[in-house]
Structure formats: structure tokens, C-alpha cells
Amino acid sequence: MPHSKTGTSPFSFEPYQEVEGEEYMNEAQLAHFEKILNDWKSDLRAEVDRTVHHMQDDAANFPDPSDRATQESEFSLELRTRDRERKLIKKIDEAINSIGTADYGYCETCGVEIGIRRLEARPTATLCIDCKTLEEIREKQMS
């Protein structure tokens, strides 16, 4: 997940500097988040490519069953990670599409502003903090 330059992310960005009185999700803010989302997506796609090349380059038919099992376990872990990233890329694409439809930055449940800082912390957020908290409480009660 992207974070500001002080965070630990695969890439960094300058936090958006809000101007007093500016309209929420104006062109500058939307461009800021579109860049964050596209950079994040590019990083994830590069990671997928690295995995494919790593698996092709390192695939070996080890005669020792333990070595073969270790390699298969490592490949399985990498594939699960890439699968999670594939799902994340889908969420990033949905967020980018919502920028185009002017829905980005607003809670899909109640319509309130999600907020610049929350979106910088989680650019794919679709719920405001209150609705997300309620969703998590409901999920806990159901399990």
C-alpha cells in the first residue's frame, strides 16, 4: 500500500497539500490520486513480471524430494501473493474508474467524503471510516 515519503512503501509520493476553501475532489486532488493509483498498479504489475521470470529461471527438477518440496512451497507462496495482488489490481482499476465517474473519494454507503488522508493511506477505500467501522463490527458479530 502506498504511503507518504516517510512511510515504508514500494514507491513514495508527496502528501497532497490542501488549500483552505478548495473544493473536495477537485481536479488537482483527482490527479493526485490517479497518479498514486497508477504508480501502485505499475509496481504490482512489475512484481508479477518478476515472479514469472523468477519461476521460469529457477524452475528445476531437483532429484532430492526435500529440495523439490521446498521449491514447490516457495512457488506456492509466491503464487498466493501474486493472486492477492491480482485482486488488488482489480480494486485499483475500480478506483481509477470511479475517478472518471466522479464517485472517487465518497463513501459508497452514506455518500460522505472519505477524506484526503484516509485515501492517501488506502487509495482504494470505498467507505468512510464510520461505515468501515460498522462493517467490521458486523463481520465480527457474524463470525
Side-chain angles (χ1 to χ4, degrees), residues 9-67:
S9 71
F11 64 94
S12 53
F13 62 87
E14 286 292 330
Y16 184 81
Q17 299 301 315
E18 295 178 71
V19 176
E20 189 174 331
E22 77 179 318
E23 184 180 338
Y24 181 71
M25 285 300 130
N26 60 43
E27 280 187 41
Q29 291 173 5
L30 291 173
H32 172 72
F33 287 109
E34 189 168 23
K35 180 175 181 350
I36 289 171
L37 289 161
N38 281 316
D39 288 350
W40 194 12
K41 182 178 169 180
S42 293
D43 285 352
L44 290 170
R45 287 189 186 269
E47 199 57 40
V48 167
D49 291 344
R50 276 193 291 280
T51 297
V52 168
H53 294 301
H54 166 72
M55 291 179 79
Q56 288 171 341
D57 294 344
D58 290 357
N61 192 5
F62 291 110
D64 180 36
S66 295
D67 291 339

Side-chain angles (χ1 to χ4, degrees), residues 5-6 13-14 24 33 35 39-40 42 59 61 66 77 81 83 87 99-100 102 116-117 121-122 131-132:
K5 286 196 175 207
T6 58
F13 62 87
E14 286 292 330
Y24 181 71
F33 287 109
K35 180 175 181 350
D39 288 350
W40 194 12
S42 293
N61 192 5
S66 295
L77 179 61
T81 301
D83 187 52
K87 291 174 185 170
I99 288 173
I116 302 292
R117 298 301 164 238
R122 182 174 286 288
C131 289
K132 183 62 177 173

Side-chain angles (χ1 to χ4, degrees), residues 96-113:
I96 292 169
N97 289 338
S98 74
I99 288 173
T101 61
D103 292 328
Y104 187 78
Y106 295 93
C107 179
E108 65 182 21
T109 300
C110 71
V112 74
E113 296 174 0

